[in-house]
Amino acid sequence: MTRLFNDPAAFADEALEGFVAAHPRRVRKVPGGVVRATRTSPGQVAVVVGGGSGHYPAFSGLVGQGLAHGAAVGNVFASPSAHQVQQVAKAAQTGGGVLLAYGNYAGDVLHFGQAAGQLTAEGIPTRTLGVTDDMSSASPSEAHKRRGVAGDLVVFKAAAAAAEAGYDLAEVTRVAELANARTRSFGVAFSGCTLPGADHPLFTVPDGRMAVGLGIHGEPGMGEQSVPSADEAAELLVGTVLGELPEGVDSPRGQRAAVILNGLGSVKYEELFVVYRRVARLLDEAGVQIVDPEVGELVTSFDMAGVSLTLCWLTDELEPLWTAPADAPAYRKGVVEAADLVTADVQEQAVDDTVPAAVDESREAARTVVAALRALKDTVDAHADELGRIDAVAGDGDHGIGMQRGSTGAYEAAVRAQRLGAGAGTVLLRAADAWADRAGGTSGALWGVGLRALGTALGDTGRPTAAAVAAGITEASAGVMRLGGAEVGDKTMVDVLVPFAAALSSATGEGRPLTAAWDAAASTAEAAAKATADLLPRMGRARPHAEKSLGTPDAGAHSLALIVRAVHPVLATTLEKH
């Protein structure tokens, strides 16, 4: 378990602070993550990687000469926000464009994609690539749905070495895509990981059994079998990876491959070497020529006891990129001529201390908005552990922590805006941006979109009406579906948000006061959240473990139902008095 921490919600930020202090000659802190502490040649493509915390050395430990130019760092097991990615990319780029590379998870795809669009619109050409090496997460026919695990390193290394060699953005992207297409990974685990502040692991495996095909966010494996000997584990890993060759590779015999045997946190180096001894023999017997193998902890999952095997089938172009020198805090190869250190100190952006003009009625309504956000935050705090447990049934267990970070950030931003004299709309817009930025992950982005839609509907020019609130919730529902791609029945927060919006719109359309309409709609939301227990997830990290979630409600749906119920007393005691 994670024993040393302060506030669990601050763990990722404090870990990054300590990491930067430990490696001042290789990385420097910028808003949203880290970039190289050394100068990069003008016009060089910047390879910016990233993802959630909890996977060290991925992703911050892979920033340095010959490897990534920067890393956007999210909360524990949650993707960084689009704003964080954008800030890191701006700090890392030197005029040659940016390649954003990340594991193929819903939140990362969403946030890195948004950042790419924003950067390109600002005149910084940007491409994206989601790594899809994990064989266990989808069939070959749906390889585009696979998640990224330890194969991240191979793809990041190839792209960065190509950038160092002077390839332009299109060519760096092509190389990254080639490395990704030729990389396969498979892993097993003997116990789950425990998040900071939690008193039990995200999943457990019965004594004498191991999970097969696990994910790096603590997702349960795809199945179980008896714990093997080291040699038997090696045979399972090698046999599985050699069982699916990439296009253009008809046989492993005579092929050259980059090989990574990766420890996920608690399987230590001596154990890995025992396993690799057999891996190397099996690959040799299959005719594979191993090139610069890596054995160690490259992509971890806190204290998970697990191991994975990665093979990248090299080409004449990929091999020198894999073997090229690199000097990052957690990955060094060959000899790199040290570049000069960057002396400029990048400061955190100042908090905006101005707000748009608002009428008195809207400023008064802003007090109700702040009170509602306080009730929301308190509700999340009270149920954070429960939300994490629900999320861990088939996902990664980070929903409680993510909601805490998002709701706290939103409330604090709302308080600042309200004290500056902001109207209800602006208070919600500031809260929306803070939620998305602080929480990261898919739910952070979706809550940001939802609050922004409501804030836009309320505006700052009058007292919000029941009809305006209902219209804002309806638009929030539509926005969440557009951004996340989920529909009713997919076992997500949409299964609650859509019926809640419809019930609120219907009740206010009948002329019922907002408090009464909200009460009725909250009851609808509670029933809808409970009903998600009977659904199978069709999206997100829970999708590969659909059957495990039967009988358990969706964490996002459940948290939304709790929140809309908690807001009702605020409306009853404040808004309806005016």
Side-chain angles (χ1 to χ4, degrees), residues 223-285:
E224 289 181 6
Q225 66 180 61
S226 298
V227 173
S229 66
D231 282 359
E232 289 169 341
E235 289 158 10
L236 171 63
L237 295 172
V238 172
T240 302
V241 174
L242 293 186
E244 184 190 310
L245 300 177
E247 184 178 352
V249 178
D250 298 325
S251 166
R253 187 159 300 280
Q255 297 292 326
R256 299 174 68 80
V259 178
I260 299 172
L261 187 65
N262 177 60
L264 281 150
S266 292
V267 175
K268 305 316 295 180
Y269 282 74
E270 286 86 349
E271 295 173 272
L272 292 174
F273 290 138
V274 172
V275 175
Y276 186 73
R277 149 192 163 277
R278 181 61 174 157
V279 167
R281 289 178 183 174
L282 291 170
L283 291 176
D284 180 67
E285 291 170 3

Side-chain angles (χ1 to χ4, degrees), residues 80-105:
S81 70
H83 186 226
Q84 288 176 294
V85 176
Q86 191 176 9
Q87 288 176 301
V88 173
K90 285 182 175 180
Q93 67 90 26
T94 60
V98 177
L99 173 64
L100 302 176
Y102 46 88
N104 187 43
Y105 298 89

Side-chain angles (χ1 to χ4, degrees), residues 475-496:
E475 181 51 38
S477 175
V480 165
M481 287 194 289
R482 283 196 299 270
L483 183 62
E487 300 177 352
V488 173
D490 285 344
K491 196 164 186 171
T492 70
M493 68 183 293
V494 166
D495 289 296
V496 169

Side-chain angles (χ1 to χ4, degrees), residues 141-327:
S141 63
E142 293 187 310
H144 62 284
K145 294 182 179 180
R146 288 178 170 176
R147 56 200 176 194
V149 286
D152 286 353
L153 174 62
V154 184
V155 178
F156 298 168
K157 178 70 171 57
E164 296 276 10
Y167 289 34
D168 64 19
L169 180 58
E171 285 296 285
V172 169
T173 304
R174 178 188 61 77
V175 164
E177 291 172 343
L178 176 63
N180 184 50
R182 297 177 71 87
T183 301
R184 301 288 186 274
S185 297
F186 186 76
V188 298
F190 312 101
S191 70
C193 60
T194 306
L195 299 183
D199 58 5
H200 58 277
L202 292 180
F203 71 91
T204 58
V205 183
D207 290 342
R209 305 285 289 176
M210 73 174 181
V212 179
L214 70 153
I216 61 168
H217 296 90
E219 304 99 326
M222 309 309 295
E224 289 181 6
Q225 66 180 61
S226 298
V227 173
S229 66
D231 282 359
E232 289 169 341
E235 289 158 10
L236 171 63
L237 295 172
V238 172
T240 302
V241 174
L242 293 186
E244 184 190 310
L245 300 177
E247 184 178 352
V249 178
D250 298 325
S251 166
R253 187 159 300 280
Q255 297 292 326
R256 299 174 68 80
V259 178
I260 299 172
L261 187 65
N262 177 60
L264 281 150
S266 292
V267 175
K268 305 316 295 180
Y269 282 74
E270 286 86 349
E271 295 173 272
L272 292 174
F273 290 138
V274 172
V275 175
Y276 186 73
R277 149 192 163 277
R278 181 61 174 157
V279 167
R281 289 178 183 174
L282 291 170
L283 291 176
D284 180 67
E285 291 170 3
V288 178
Q289 300 178 52
I290 300 172
V291 179
D292 273 13
E294 297 286 348
V295 179
E297 296 180 346
L298 283 308
V299 179
T300 64
S301 185
F302 277 111
D303 60 336
M304 183 187 289
V307 60
S308 65
L309 178 66
T310 298
L311 262 69
C312 175
W313 301 94
L314 298 171
T315 64
D316 290 342
E317 181 179 33
L318 289 176
E319 183 169 342
L321 299 175
W322 170 244
T323 60
D327 184 20

